[in-house]
Amino acid sequence: MIEYRNLRIALLGAGSVGSQVAALLLEHGDELAQRVGAGLELVGVAVRDPEKHRDSDIPFELFTTDAESLIVGADIVVEVMGGLSPARELITLAMTSGADVVTANKALLATHGPELFELAEQLGAQLYYEASVAAAIPIIRPLRESLAGDRIERIYGIVNGSTNYILDRMDADDLAAEDAQQIALELGYLEADPTLDVEGYDAAQKAAILASLAFHTTVPLESVHREGITNVTREQVRSAREAGFVVKLLAVCERLVDPTSGEEGVSVRVHPALVPRTHPLGAVHGGNNAVFLEAAAAGPLMFYGAGAGGLQTASAVLGDVVSAARRHVLGG
Ligand code: HSE
């Protein structure tokens, strides 16, 4: 039986992820309410231009341009607008107003994560970000919670779906890089600025987030070595194939020990790599992602699935919304 008051959810952004978050909340609200023990009420959707959303399935009266007023009355703020500003300021406002925050914003967390986490800690707010890395694949919560008692030595994997799609088409269909990229663009796999994907910025942001969590340290984005796929040619992919390898854009996060001083550090890098076709990462096709990690006690673990897509990312966002809502209910 639901006895708790309705929890007010403010959504910032109604792009491919935001519109799916709204749709899931509106369609499955009753079921989620049963799970949480409180109603989850979508009280507004902040966008730049509501007119652009007139044909959307979201009731038009929920749209507003006044993100600040929407945030101030909310229990949970979901930021899926992307970009650094005004996302940073709005998340700060949300936490200082007493709301918990759910974000999918990898660029923001990789750049301003430490400051936002510190603020959350000071205020006793929660900042959830499962959707920031590898979309639907649960990887943030396993690192934060399930593996919190273990020592992670190494994480490596494919964390960018669009470049994996491009390399996969070059490998499977012998396409030239430009042709494969054009198809990825048409399928909507690439970021609005495709440079973010093909030059490895997106993967570097995700690697910084994973490494910071896994190694309990701050990994600044500037310290991540980054090389994208723009220099990978069809001929290289072909030669790799003939030799039993496949070219993949890998994110690699490792602990390092300085042999002289014994001091511990981390190495985080993103670059194209030759992966044996027999390795499970060699079998990650299309826009999928896969993350391997090696933990001292748990041993090797692999996480695999859809790493991009509005609905898939919305699944991770909704999981965080339910966690935040449960915290409200349990905390009274
Ligand atoms: N452009 C990103 C990718 C979207 O291709 O993986 C998901 O973060």
Side-chain angles (χ1 to χ4, degrees):
M1 194 169 64
I2 298 173
E3 287 174 356
Y4 201 77
R5 68 177 171 84
N6 275 4
L7 291 168
R8 298 166 59 84
I9 318 279
L11 182 60
L12 311 181
S16 61
V17 178
S19 53
Q20 295 290 352
V21 170
L24 291 174
L25 267 175
L26 295 169
E27 276 167 37
H28 303 296
D30 290 346
E31 198 182 328
L32 294 177
Q34 291 300 330
R35 269 179 228 170
V36 167
L40 300 179
E41 187 187 353
L42 181 62
V43 289
V45 184
V47 292
R48 256 197 299 256
D49 181 2
E51 278 308 318
K52 284 195 180 149
H53 301 271
R54 203 164 260 289
D55 297 332
S56 124
D57 292 334
I58 303 171
F60 189 70
E61 63 274 14
L62 287 181
F63 288 106
T64 175
T65 53
D66 187 356
E68 283 85 357
S69 301
L70 181 63
I71 286 169
V72 168
D75 298 298
I76 299 168
V77 173
V78 178
E79 185 274 309
V80 285
M81 60 203 304
L84 299 184
S85 183
R88 178 188 182 188
E89 295 79 8
L90 294 176
I91 287 178
T92 301
L93 173 65
M95 291 195 290
T96 47
S97 309
D100 285 334
V101 171
V102 175
T103 179
N105 196 329
K106 59 217 158 183
L108 181 69
L109 292 174
T111 313
H112 298 298
E115 143 207 335
L116 293 171
F117 291 121
E118 197 182 315
L119 182 68
E121 198 172 320
Q122 275 170 16
L123 296 168
Q126 294 294 312
L127 180 54
Y128 298 87
Y129 53 104
E130 184 62 67
S132 66
V133 179
I137 305 173
I139 185 66
I140 300 297
R141 197 171 276 102
L143 287 174
R144 273 177 96 168
E145 295 176 17
S146 322
L147 293 160
D150 210 331
R151 177 183 164 89
I152 294 168
E153 303 292 351
R154 196 165 182 238
I155 302 184
Y156 61 102
I158 296 163
V159 294
N160 182 270
S162 48
T163 51
N164 195 61
Y165 179 85
I166 293 169
L167 293 171
D168 194 37
R169 291 299 304 265
M170 290 171 75
D171 178 64
D173 302 314
D174 203 38
L175 292 188
E178 314 78 73
D179 296 337
Q181 185 171 329
Q182 184 55 36
I183 300 171
L185 192 68
E186 283 161 16
L187 288 171
Y189 285 175
L190 289 151
E191 298 285 321
D193 173 5
T195 314
L196 294 173
D197 294 303
V198 296
E199 296 285 7
Y201 290 99
D202 175 89
Q205 289 161 358
K206 292 165 178 167
I209 294 172
L210 290 178
S212 299
L213 256 182
F215 304 140
H216 307 278
T217 185
T218 298
V219 177
L221 190 52
E222 313 77 67
S223 72
V224 179
H225 167 84
R226 176 190 51 78
E227 188 189 332
I229 63 162
T230 46
N231 291 327
V232 177
T233 64
R234 170 160 49 180
E235 290 64 37
Q236 288 170 335
V237 171
R238 223 180 255 160
S239 309
R241 184 169 56 236
E242 283 160 12
F245 291 89
V246 58
V247 181
K248 294 290 186 194
L249 184 69
L250 291 192
V252 182
C253 317
E254 294 180 296
R255 287 184 191 273
L256 291 180
V257 178
D258 185 309
T260 329
S261 65
E263 217 172 279
E264 276 208 359
V266 296
S267 162
V268 185
R269 50 195 195 272
V270 168
H271 54 81
L274 288 174
V275 174
R277 299 191 89 81
T278 49
H279 190 284
L281 282 183
V284 176
H285 298 298
N288 285 316
N289 283 188
V291 181
F292 264 83
L293 64 82
E294 293 163 12
L301 298 171
M302 179 177 170
F303 301 80
Y304 168 82
L311 184 59
Q312 292 82 351
T313 309
S315 162
V317 170
L318 257 289
D320 280 349
V321 169
V322 167
S323 294
R326 281 181 173 150
R327 195 180 90 97
H328 273 269
V329 175
L330 291 174

mmCIF file of all heavy atoms in Angstrom, residues 36 39 59 105 114 134 183 213 239 248 322:
data_model
loop_
_atom_site.group_PDB
_atom_site.id
_atom_site.type_symbol
_atom_site.label_atom_id
_atom_site.label_comp_id
_atom_site.label_asym_id
_atom_site.label_seq_id
_atom_site.Cartn_x
_atom_site.Cartn_y
_atom_site.Cartn_z
ATOM 1 N N VAL A 36 8.296 1.506 -5.370
ATOM 2 C CA VAL A 36 8.957 2.499 -4.529
ATOM 3 C C VAL A 36 8.198 2.707 -3.216
ATOM 4 O O VAL A 36 8.786 2.971 -2.170
ATOM 5 C CB VAL A 36 9.050 3.843 -5.310
ATOM 6 C CG1 VAL A 36 9.432 4.993 -4.405
ATOM 7 C CG2 VAL A 36 10.019 3.721 -6.466
ATOM 8 N N GLY A 39 4.179 7.622 -5.146
ATOM 9 C CA GLY A 39 3.931 7.996 -6.533
ATOM 10 C C GLY A 39 5.110 8.801 -7.082
ATOM 11 O O GLY A 39 5.750 9.559 -6.345
ATOM 12 N N PRO A 59 2.631 15.417 -22.412
ATOM 13 C CA PRO A 59 1.605 16.482 -22.386
ATOM 14 C C PRO A 59 2.256 17.866 -22.477
ATOM 15 O O PRO A 59 3.220 18.147 -21.757
ATOM 16 C CB PRO A 59 0.912 16.273 -21.033
ATOM 17 C CG PRO A 59 1.179 14.834 -20.689
ATOM 18 C CD PRO A 59 2.517 14.489 -21.280
ATOM 19 N N ASN A 105 25.130 12.748 -17.709
ATOM 20 C CA ASN A 105 26.056 13.686 -18.348
ATOM 21 C C ASN A 105 27.520 13.333 -18.110
ATOM 22 O O ASN A 105 28.146 13.803 -17.169
ATOM 23 C CB ASN A 105 25.726 15.083 -17.817
ATOM 24 C CG ASN A 105 26.325 16.166 -18.646
ATOM 25 O OD1 ASN A 105 27.377 15.999 -19.243
ATOM 26 N ND2 ASN A 105 25.652 17.300 -18.680
ATOM 27 N N PRO A 114 34.467 15.974 -9.370
ATOM 28 C CA PRO A 114 34.919 16.130 -7.987
ATOM 29 C C PRO A 114 34.190 17.240 -7.240
ATOM 30 O O PRO A 114 33.749 17.059 -6.100
ATOM 31 C CB PRO A 114 36.414 16.448 -8.141
ATOM 32 C CG PRO A 114 36.793 15.799 -9.439
ATOM 33 C CD PRO A 114 35.578 15.930 -10.323
ATOM 34 N N ALA A 134 28.178 3.689 -20.720
ATOM 35 C CA ALA A 134 27.685 2.440 -21.306
ATOM 36 C C ALA A 134 26.170 2.251 -21.175
ATOM 37 O O ALA A 134 25.693 1.116 -21.109
ATOM 38 C CB ALA A 134 28.426 1.237 -20.724
ATOM 39 N N ILE A 183 26.911 5.899 -42.341
ATOM 40 C CA ILE A 183 25.783 5.043 -41.929
ATOM 41 C C ILE A 183 25.519 5.232 -40.427
ATOM 42 O O ILE A 183 24.369 5.363 -39.994
ATOM 43 C CB ILE A 183 26.075 3.559 -42.246
ATOM 44 C CG1 ILE A 183 26.308 3.383 -43.752
ATOM 45 C CG2 ILE A 183 24.919 2.672 -41.795
ATOM 46 C CD1 ILE A 183 26.818 2.010 -44.146
ATOM 47 N N LEU A 213 36.120 5.902 -10.136
ATOM 48 C CA LEU A 213 35.319 5.054 -9.251
ATOM 49 C C LEU A 213 36.077 3.795 -8.837
ATOM 50 O O LEU A 213 36.095 3.416 -7.665
ATOM 51 C CB LEU A 213 34.086 4.584 -10.020
ATOM 52 C CG LEU A 213 32.768 5.216 -9.740
ATOM 53 C CD1 LEU A 213 31.707 4.541 -10.586
ATOM 54 C CD2 LEU A 213 32.402 5.138 -8.275
ATOM 55 N N SER A 239 44.062 -6.036 -42.936
ATOM 56 C CA SER A 239 45.273 -6.781 -42.536
ATOM 57 C C SER A 239 45.070 -7.432 -41.175
ATOM 58 O O SER A 239 45.488 -8.572 -40.949
ATOM 59 C CB SER A 239 46.492 -5.867 -42.409
ATOM 60 O OG SER A 239 46.635 -5.120 -43.543
ATOM 61 N N LYS A 248 39.594 -2.518 -32.417
ATOM 62 C CA LYS A 248 38.570 -1.983 -31.512
ATOM 63 C C LYS A 248 39.110 -0.726 -30.844
ATOM 64 O O LYS A 248 40.323 -0.651 -30.561
ATOM 65 C CB LYS A 248 38.241 -3.010 -30.409
ATOM 66 C CG LYS A 248 37.568 -4.285 -30.924
ATOM 67 C CD LYS A 248 36.158 -4.008 -31.383
ATOM 68 C CE LYS A 248 35.382 -5.237 -31.770
ATOM 69 N NZ LYS A 248 34.141 -4.892 -32.513
ATOM 70 N N VAL A 322 14.442 5.398 -9.392
ATOM 71 C CA VAL A 322 13.828 4.502 -8.398
ATOM 72 C C VAL A 322 14.711 4.445 -7.136
ATOM 73 O O VAL A 322 14.198 4.513 -6.009
ATOM 74 C CB VAL A 322 13.606 3.088 -9.003
ATOM 75 C CG1 VAL A 322 13.272 2.070 -7.922
ATOM 76 C CG2 VAL A 322 12.484 3.154 -10.040
#
